[in-house]
Amino acid sequence: MTSAVRLLRGGCVAGYFQPVQIVSDAEIAVSVASDDAFIDPIPSPTLLGLLIGPVYRLRITNIPGYEDREVYPTIELVDRLYPPAGAEKRFPVPIELTGDDLRLAAQGHFITRIVYLEDPHKALPALSDPAHPSWFDAGPGVHPLVEAQERGRPMAIVRIGGRVPRSEEHTSELQSHHD
């Protein structure tokens, strides 16, 4: 777990709820896992408070073109922002789940995104769009977290494409391990 190592080294505040905003260019619904169930879906954009360290599981529904499918991304915060006191909700970590990424995940692909805060000394002199954070393709053989560290300070790891097994799959898997 990347964030647990970061917490042990220092640099983050344990117990701090970092505001995170889930956005999408599609009209999706977001549910957060709580205990053994998902909360009722909320339309995006969605503002959440997440701790640094745990891996949070989401359920995304209403994916354009795949309305009958669900995708289960995870978010792992590895660092936090340090906004002025009282302005924490004005500066959330943006997590963009694009319609294209969700459609790829619904087709069985696995996508990893690293959300990072650009190093101002390495950033390209170009106007950015806060509604759609910039991203890059790390390419084959390149570790995305290492590449993000070269460009700035990693904030979150987003993995899109996981699924929750049906209860009968889980039961048969457990039985096969015990036979």
Side-chain angles (χ1 to χ4, degrees):
M1 183 182 288
T2 305
S3 53
V5 171
R6 193 174 201 79
L7 285 170
L8 289 174
R9 285 187 298 174
C12 295
V13 177
Y16 175 77
F17 284 90
Q18 170 62 53
V20 172
Q21 185 168 37
I22 311 293
V23 297
S24 182
D25 57 354
E27 293 183 23
I28 60 170
V30 179
S31 301
V32 180
S34 177
D35 297 322
D36 291 331
F38 287 93
I39 64 166
D40 290 335
I42 305 163
S44 72
T46 302
L47 188 63
L48 306 170
L50 305 180
L51 292 168
I52 286 84
V55 176
Y56 292 90
R57 192 160 185 81
L58 307 175
R59 178 178 64 197
I60 306 299
T61 54
N62 199 34
I63 301 167
Y66 294 89
E67 288 80 3
D68 60 332
R69 297 197 189 158
E70 299 173 339
V71 174
Y72 297 89
T74 61
I75 298 173
E76 178 183 359
L77 289 182
V78 295
D79 208 341
R80 61 163 285 193
L81 296 175
Y82 294 87
E88 293 82 3
K89 289 183 181 178
R90 287 187 47 216
F91 300 100
V93 172
I95 307 284
E96 183 176 31
L97 303 175
T98 69
D100 287 341
D101 285 345
L102 295 171
R103 285 186 287 279
L104 284 169
Q107 295 169 8
H109 297 272
F110 188 76
I111 297 108
T112 300
R113 295 246 187 237
I114 308 297
V115 178
Y116 65 97
L117 183 63
E118 276 188 315
D119 179 338
H121 301 292
K122 296 179 182 177
L124 296 174
L127 186 61
S128 63
D129 179 0
H132 302 285
S134 60
W135 62 276
F136 62 91
D137 186 347
V142 177
H143 193 288
L145 188 58
V146 172
E147 183 65 25
Q149 286 175 327
E150 290 293 319
R151 295 170 183 250
R153 183 163 49 107
M155 304 300 295
I157 302 169
V158 181
R159 296 173 181 96
I160 310 167
R163 66 179 182 89
V164 172
R166 286 180 255 132
S167 58
E168 59 270 9
E169 286 178 317
H170 185 65
T171 302
S172 62
E173 182 181 304
L174 289 175
Q175 289 172 347
S176 68
H177 290 312
H178 292 286
D179 293 341

